[in-house]
Amino acid sequence: MNVLLIGGSSRMIDAVIDKLNKGKHRIFLLTGRRDRQFSYKHVFERYDYPYEDESVKDIFESVKPDMVVFMGAYDTNFDWHRERQESVRYTASLMNILSTYSMACKGRFVYLSSHEVFGGSYHNDITESETTTPRGFKALAISQGEEICENYRKTQGVDTMILRFDHLYGVPRRGQEDSNPCFQMCLEALKTGKVSASDRRSFSMLYLNDAVELAYKAMMEEQPALSCYHITSGEELDEVKLAGMVIKAMGGGIRLVNNSVGDKYRLLLDGRSFQEEYDQKIFVQYEEGIYIGYRYYETAAAEGFINYDEAVVYPFGYGLSYTTFDKKLENFKDNDTSVSFDVTVTNTGDTAGKEVVEIYFTPPYYNGGIEKSSVSLIDFGKTQTLEPGASETISFEIAKEDMA
């Protein structure tokens, strides 16, 4: 499938590119800028033109995309410090892109939106059918973008899909700001040594890479039931609890300023439509614990929350090599208080290289017992440089008490 991504450099577009690459799609990128100062993940073809440029039409006709994904609310080409001017440019850019697309293509147009289109406090979780209540020029522009997509769907027959994400968080690129509460608290802590929070403000958060995994399911669905989906963890969290996690993660020395006064503010998107249609459970863990990195993905897959092969782009320990290796387990022994074994590594390729042997184990676990990940790395070893056809044996001995 030919996929045209439209958006500026960001962690969001990086995650989308990674996922599409793993799905074996051919990716084309319209950056929205003439300069090439920003880097992107690997794509088949890159076009550095503004959205209003006449070349956009030529790009669509040349690529003939089966799908277009517009970063929308997450497009870093728009400077929202100048909200009034940028809201006009945002709407004009989307209109130019959509009108060109509707004339040149027949595939799906995916618009990435956010919780920002809802500006008030809601007692109940917000469903897709709820009327948007934007506050501020940015929110208004994003909301108008949704309306434009919906109008093109109804009047022009364009297959548009709106994906609203609920309070995404992640590590932004160097020099880029982020409006999510986690980032803002970390920034305040670094600047002032304190974090301001209120337990009367609550929301849900979703890790950016997980959001992209979920979005991909809807994007690839041939006949989706809805034209708009909410993608959310659905796990309610208040600012004071989040601030406590931030302070703990930063190693102390940060003071919590509790501003728990005033009216209750609550904003959570209702993701039941998405979860029911795609049979997708959200595996979320706000506090940093054992489910970090590969432990999260291995355990989530074992519990049936994710498809490991679809969710993991680069497995733990992943690396590129100019050669290949074969590993053979030998001489396994149970020594009462420990186990020992050898692993023989053979270079089966045509180039000299080194290889790392990683040893994992599955700890004993029963319901109600101490939480444990499904697998854990317990030891590793690295070979010397092996010439083609050469072998090396690495010996391991692991205490049983380390695997309890």
Side-chain angles (χ1 to χ4, degrees), residues 239-288:
E239 283 187 352
V240 171
K241 185 176 181 180
L242 177 60
M245 298 177 195
V246 169
I247 291 171
K248 180 180 178 181
M250 298 186 77
I254 308 297
R255 180 167 58 91
L256 172 63
V257 179
N258 194 321
N259 294 330
S260 300
V261 294
D263 296 333
K264 173 73 174 178
Y265 175 86
R266 182 183 185 276
L267 201 162
L268 278 82
L269 300 185
D270 187 331
R272 286 178 295 176
S273 294
F274 178 90
Q275 294 176 31
E276 290 170 3
E277 181 175 347
Y278 298 99
D279 192 26
Q280 182 65 51
K281 300 176 182 178
I282 310 297
F283 192 82
V284 63
Q285 182 87 7
Y286 285 131
E287 295 192 52
E288 181 171 293

Side-chain angles (χ1 to χ4, degrees), residues 12 70-75 80 90 110-120 122 126-128 130-135 137-146 161-169 178-181 204 206 211 228-232 265 267-270:
M12 167 63 89
F70 179 52
M71 291 296 108
Y74 305 94
D75 191 340
W80 293 110
Y90 181 93
V110 180
Y111 177 82
L112 303 189
S113 185
S114 82
H115 67 276
E116 294 172 272
V117 298
F118 298 103
Y122 293 78
I126 306 168
T127 64
E128 287 87 349
E130 186 79 29
T131 302
T132 60
T133 55
R135 294 183 180 178
F137 286 105
K138 179 184 178 182
L140 181 61
I142 297 170
S143 178
Q144 289 176 338
E146 291 187 0
M161 173 179 284
I162 300 167
L163 300 178
R164 288 191 191 128
F165 296 107
D166 196 354
H167 292 88
L168 298 187
Y169 72 95
D178 203 317
S179 60
N180 78 74
S204 67
L206 185 62
C228 176
Y229 289 98
H230 286 173
I231 297 181
T232 173
Y265 175 86
L267 201 162
L268 278 82
L269 300 185
D270 187 331

